Amino acid sequence: MKFKGKVWKFGSNIDTDGIIPARYLNSSDPKELSSHCMEEIDPQFAKKVKKGDIIVANRNFGCGSSREHAPIAIKAAGLSCVIAKSFARIFYRNCFNMGLPILESSTIYDEVEEGDEIEVDLKKGTIFNVTRGTEFHAQPIPPFMQELVQDGGLMKHVAKQRR
Amino acid sequence: MKNKMTITEKILAHRAGLDHVEPGRLIKVKVDIALGNDVTSPIAIQEFRKAGGKKVFDKNKVVIIPDHFTPNKDIKSAEQCKMVRDFAMEQDLVHYYEVGRMGIEHVLLPEQGIVLPGDVIIGADSHTCTYGALGAFATGVGSTDLAAAMINGEAWFKIPSTIKFVYYGKLNPWVDGKDLILFTIGDIGVEGALYQAMEFTGEVIQQLSMASRFTMANMAIEAGGKNGIIAPDKTTKDYVEKRAKRPFRLYESDEKAEYSLVKEYDVSKIEPQVAFPHLPENTRPISEVGDVAIDQVVIGSCTNGRIEDLRVAAYVLKGNKVAPYLRLLVIPGTQEVYLQAMKEGLFDIFIEAGAAISTPTCGPCLGGHMGILAAGERAVATTNRNFVGRMGHPESEVYLSNPAVAAASAVLGKIGSPEVVCKN
């Protein structure tokens, strides 16, 4: 799986209330949730983001609540991938379960500017900064998580095992 | 090898049918309880149906508590609750609690003996880690994990490494579990225990009430922890024995258990703590808070909505009045807590002081309803998070404290110590 898109940069400890405020959790409709994506941090974000764009964040992205509405909002807003120095664990797990590609990279955050175009090769775990001509390697995805991705998420993985 | 496991490793190894596990190992286990609420269950139910789910794996073990936006805050919330209620009826779930019997999930489940020592519990709510105070392995997951567990009763875990926290010394007046956990998060930071188990130990923990222990385990997630855990002792047994309706098992860490880190804290140096906006790690001792005027105080939540919390708040409020123009909201965690508080006369104290008392709900803690803040407003809350916009407008602020400090602040109209209010 390869993605190419424009970078949106976010800092450390972006919490799930910031990604999708709880006042919108009275809906689980992806389209509605996506219209409020990152609203607490940048109220215009959902309008500005283009299909395929990529979030690059500092440490502990997705901390706080277990709400799966957060990765759902990001995915439905058209973002193809989230790269961070580290992820909070429930968010990390949720992304694999519901099929939002994410990568951990300790280096790219400091070497990329908002608006740069980057290309991500999920299988190889490489991130290429098209704007600057630099390449980075992400932390390899654990084999079990790769299996989840290949099966298309946890529910399809469970269904496959039941067959 | 076999005699070198932590309590977390032991529970998970036993449940996976293994003699020994080590951090990093991936296991699949049967869960004792799979929990959802009115916000996370709708997505889980959709996923359950999409995957062809017909019957949940065990109607005794799938628990749904509509506590977040209840009593229904608007039409959309009512629709979500209806979906959840219809599912509970269709599946004949034993542990579904309707408004009027419902409590905040993490106060209700231990109180009703639904979660017990030695259990493996997953919940589509990040504060599921609360039950670790019983000596159980309990962790928050998303809706999809809940959906999968509803089908096959299973969950997969990577065995976490464990940080051991040792608390020793003499507790200062007005310091309880909330202050110990806030201090700890202030020390290690909001990702200080990322992916790890937090094991709370030491002579001080053994002196804590179950309420304070639940508060500590509850906030493990605020340090990034996978679970918080406290080995069961006599206090645990006394609490559990009158509530349990099925057998349970007590585990403890081996003396030679291996930890990724050991932190020791002399609690005689710990004052009541206040976490400033907008992260739980921004803690300050009460003596260094300065002048922070406030508009609202919330006493309640899965962190501090137990009878002990209401008692200490009432003790501080007795004979005092809530400051002019300030709203004090008291939210008992469950109907049992509500009834007990009423019987003990705590409601007289709250109402005479000028507080509002609410039926159990998560409401204001997550900015849902029942106490939303306007732009520029500040609240002191006994809740667990103070992120941007957590209790309402993105330009509002939440300060986290224990119930005594919250009650004192309600009287003073600014953040302050109970020492100032309780002169006797």
Side-chain angles (χ1 to χ4, degrees), chain A residues 20 24-34 68-70 72-73 76, chain B residues 38-47 50 69 76-77 79-80 83 143:
Chain A
I20 180 78
Y24 303 121
L25 302 186
N26 54 8
S27 169
S28 51
D29 173 39
K31 212 177 152 202
E32 194 176 333
L33 294 171
S34 74
E68 217 158 287
H69 310 69
I72 290 173
Chain B
D38 53 313
V39 161
T40 57
S41 299
I43 296 173
I45 294 166
Q46 283 164 18
E47 290 296 320
K50 260 199 273 174
F69 293 162
K76 281 185 182 172
S77 305
E79 296 291 347
Q80 281 193 327
M83 176 192 184
S143 298

Side-chain angles (χ1 to χ4, degrees), chain B residues 16-52:
Chain B
L18 300 165
D19 281 344
H20 180 262
V21 293
E22 62 293 319
R25 179 163 180 173
L26 213 65
I27 56 155
K28 199 183 271 181
V29 292
K30 285 276 177 197
V31 299
D32 294 288
I33 293 293
L35 164 73
N37 57 48
D38 53 313
V39 161
T40 57
S41 299
I43 296 173
I45 294 166
Q46 283 164 18
E47 290 296 320
F48 175 84
R49 298 221 197 276
K50 260 199 273 174

Side-chain angles (χ1 to χ4, degrees), chain A residues 58-70:
Chain A
N58 206 332
R59 304 196 61 82
N60 202 25
F61 188 86
C63 61
S65 137
S66 70
R67 64 190 70 158
E68 217 158 287
H69 310 69

Side-chain angles (χ1 to χ4, degrees), chain A residues 32-44:
Chain A
E32 194 176 333
L33 294 171
S34 74
S35 69
H36 302 293
C37 182
M38 311 304 269
E39 188 174 293
E40 229 71 320
I41 303 152
D42 177 359
Q44 298 305 313

Side-chain angles (χ1 to χ4, degrees), chain B residues 70-82:
Chain B
T70 51
N72 302 338
K73 79 166 178 124
D74 54 21
I75 294 171
K76 281 185 182 172
S77 305
E79 296 291 347
Q80 281 193 327
C81 285
K82 184 168 183 295

Side-chain angles (χ1 to χ4, degrees), chain A residues 15-18 20-26 40 64-67 69, chain B residues 37-40 66-70 73 77 80 104-105 124-127 222 296 298 300-303 329 331 360-373 381-394 396 398 400:
Chain A
D15 59 79
T16 53
D17 282 273
I20 180 78
R23 58 184 175 275
Y24 303 121
L25 302 186
N26 54 8
E40 229 71 320
S65 137
S66 70
R67 64 190 70 158
H69 310 69
Chain B
N37 57 48
D38 53 313
V39 161
T40 57
D67 58 358
H68 275 54
F69 293 162
T70 51
K73 79 166 178 124
S77 305
Q80 281 193 327
I104 296 171
E105 51 197 301
D125 187 281
S126 60
H127 293 109
E222 310 316 334
Q296 176 167 297
V298 176
S301 85
C302 61
T303 313
L329 311 175
I331 311 175
T361 180
C362 304
C365 171
L366 76 162
H369 63 153
M370 296 293 287
I372 302 303
L373 300 174
T382 66
T383 56
N384 41 58
R385 291 192 174 127
N386 55 356
F387 300 150
V388 173
R390 177 70 181 180
M391 199 173 276
H393 196 281
S396 62
V398 177
L400 306 174

